[in-house]
Amino acid sequence: MLSYLAAALPAQTSAPARLLALQCALRSTAAGKVEIPTGLVRGMRLGRGATALAELQDARWLYSPTLPGGRSGGFTAQLLDVAVRMQAPTLKDRSRAADWILRTCQRKELRELDASSRLLALALSVHVPSGPSGAPASAEQEVLARMCGLPAQGLVDVLDVLVRARFLRSWAYDPAPEDLRWDLVLQGQPSGEDSGLTA
């Protein structure tokens, strides 16, 4: 789903709008209708939810007849991108993934971080192989940057934020300079793969 959104949304889409789009895509019906309650908008900690929603409307990715009221109001919307309805996860898998995203973003290490840091934490978690292997995860730097709407050189600063927050134990460049590897502090946490959310 993260790869789909990286392709479907404009490159300059902000991290709060990407996090909101992720929840909308995962919570939509087969017809593309989505209802995001007030508590969910507040729980996502996106700042002004209306700003992220307006950004998705400006990108013509969804349409909502009314912007959410106040700082954290809920809304209903229609997803305009037909491709979102053809994504592979089943409704049950989508529901599990939406819940996993919220739980991951609410982890004590991430809760107070900005949306870009939380989005990168999600992207890194999705790439962690399931099982007790203990091996560091890895991915192409460009892929991670595209998923998070960051310039490739901007990843370094956000990775360092995640190390200081003790979400990551460490990160480094692989021998191939276009690849990154990292080690999550809390091994054994459910990965995106376990939750039904894949990159």
Side-chain angles (χ1 to χ4, degrees):
M1 194 60 77
L2 288 171
S3 294
Y4 153 72
L5 288 174
L9 296 173
Q12 70 275 12
T13 304
S14 70
R18 288 173 188 276
L19 286 168
L20 182 60
L22 194 52
Q23 287 293 335
C24 289
L26 292 170
R27 293 173 183 275
S28 67
T29 66
K33 297 201 181 300
V34 65
E35 186 170 331
I36 302 293
T38 300
L40 179 59
V41 175
R42 189 179 303 118
M44 288 191 295
R45 304 173 69 93
L46 302 178
R48 293 186 50 78
T51 303
L53 180 59
E55 196 174 337
L56 296 175
Q57 286 200 117
D58 289 346
R60 294 195 167 99
W61 188 76
L62 60 66
Y63 169 75
S64 179
T66 57
L67 289 176
R71 182 173 167 83
S72 58
F75 63 90
T76 58
Q78 173 68 46
L79 302 186
L80 301 177
D81 187 352
V82 177
V84 73
R85 297 179 222 160
M86 297 186 294
Q87 297 302 305
T90 65
L91 184 59
K92 182 179 176 183
D93 288 340
R94 285 177 181 227
S95 178
R96 273 190 10 225
D99 180 61
W100 176 82
I101 290 166
L102 283 176
R103 285 186 288 113
T104 299
C105 287
Q106 288 299 321
R107 291 174 54 90
K108 63 181 180 177
E109 302 92 338
L110 302 176
R111 192 176 304 139
E112 301 304 323
L113 298 182
D114 66 0
S116 292
S117 300
R118 287 182 281 132
L119 183 57
L120 181 57
L122 284 172
L124 297 175
S125 296
V126 165
H127 283 86
V128 171
S130 60
S133 69
S138 65
E140 288 183 35
Q141 185 174 350
E142 185 180 320
V143 170
L144 291 172
R146 191 172 58 246
M147 285 180 179
C148 298
L150 291 168
Q153 63 274 19
L155 279 178
V156 171
D157 291 336
V158 184
L159 287 163
D160 288 341
V161 166
L162 294 176
V163 170
R164 286 192 300 274
R166 296 194 173 136
F167 180 77
L168 292 180
R169 185 173 288 115
S170 63
W171 72 270
Y173 292 103
D174 261 350
E178 65 273 4
D179 290 348
L180 293 171
R181 60 185 156 83
W182 61 91
D183 192 17
L184 295 181
V185 168
L186 188 61
Q187 292 298 331
Q189 71 177 355
S191 70
E193 197 173 290
D194 295 333
S195 71
L197 180 69
T198 56

